[in-house]
């Protein structure tokens, strides 16, 4: 069987199909072990499928609704995963400095509102990507892709 990286990508807070479909493609290419969607019904959406380019067929996926996220993350933490949020906050660590634990869960924020306050106590770390322009934030799939690449660069499992 295919050997995957011990990286779980949590996209439960993301609403837009292009972002979810694009993430499924990035996760499959970089050998993430799982992509967590707000609902598996996304997989039958035409925009999701168009952006995924069939990648989702080769990627384990599951659904966790936003309301169930605290319990889900708590469970993964008990299994020994580090829960890593990606968000611009006063306490975030720069992605350039961050050393990824082998067993990591990457939590992405919602498109408009980011990571809600009630999830911060569950995070072992929050990382941010340094920005140099005027625009307030990166697209969430772009942010996720940069983080997944950085994890992969540090730990890549070759098949
Ligand atoms: N919190 C932003 C809006 C969210 S942007 C605001 O206040 O305007 C959508 C998501 O993309 C964020 O929740 C985060 O997960 C990710 N993101 C965007 N830019 C980022 C950056 N520079 N560093 C880390 N994450 C970023």
């Amino acid at each position: 069987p295919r050997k995957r990286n011990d990286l779980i990508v949590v996209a439960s807070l993301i609403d837009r199909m292009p972002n979810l479909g694009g993430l499924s493609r990035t996760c499959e290419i970089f050998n993430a072990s799982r992509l967590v969607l707000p609902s598996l019904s996304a997989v039958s959406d035409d925009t999701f499928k168009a952006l995924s380019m069939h990648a989702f067929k080769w990627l384990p996926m599951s659904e966790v609704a936003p309301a169930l996220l605290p319990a889900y993350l708590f469970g993964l933490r008990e299994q020994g995963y580090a829960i890593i949020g990606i968000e611009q906050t006063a306490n975030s660590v720069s992605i350039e400095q961050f050393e990824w634990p082998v067993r990591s869960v990457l939590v992405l924020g919602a498109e408009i509102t980011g990571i809600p306050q009630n999830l911060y106590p569950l995070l072992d770390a929050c990382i941010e990507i340094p920005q140099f322009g005027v625009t307030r934030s990166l697209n969430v799939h772009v942010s996720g892709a940069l983080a997944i690449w950085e994890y992969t660069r540090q730990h890549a499992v070759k098949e």
Side-chain angles (χ1 to χ4, degrees), residues 28-49:
E28 196 280 327
I29 285 174
F30 291 117
N31 249 337
S33 59
R34 178 168 301 275
L35 174 63
V36 178
L37 298 169
S39 164
L40 283 173
S41 65
V43 177
S44 49
D45 180 271
D46 286 341
T47 304
F48 180 98
K49 284 193 270 193

Side-chain angles (χ1 to χ4, degrees), residues 86-88 109-112 114 128-129 131 136-138 140 143:
I86 183 161
E87 187 65 85
Q88 304 174 78
E111 280 92 344
I112 311 287
E128 73 181 327
I129 301 157
Q131 300 189 172
R136 185 185 167 98
S137 63
L138 288 159
V140 66
S143 307

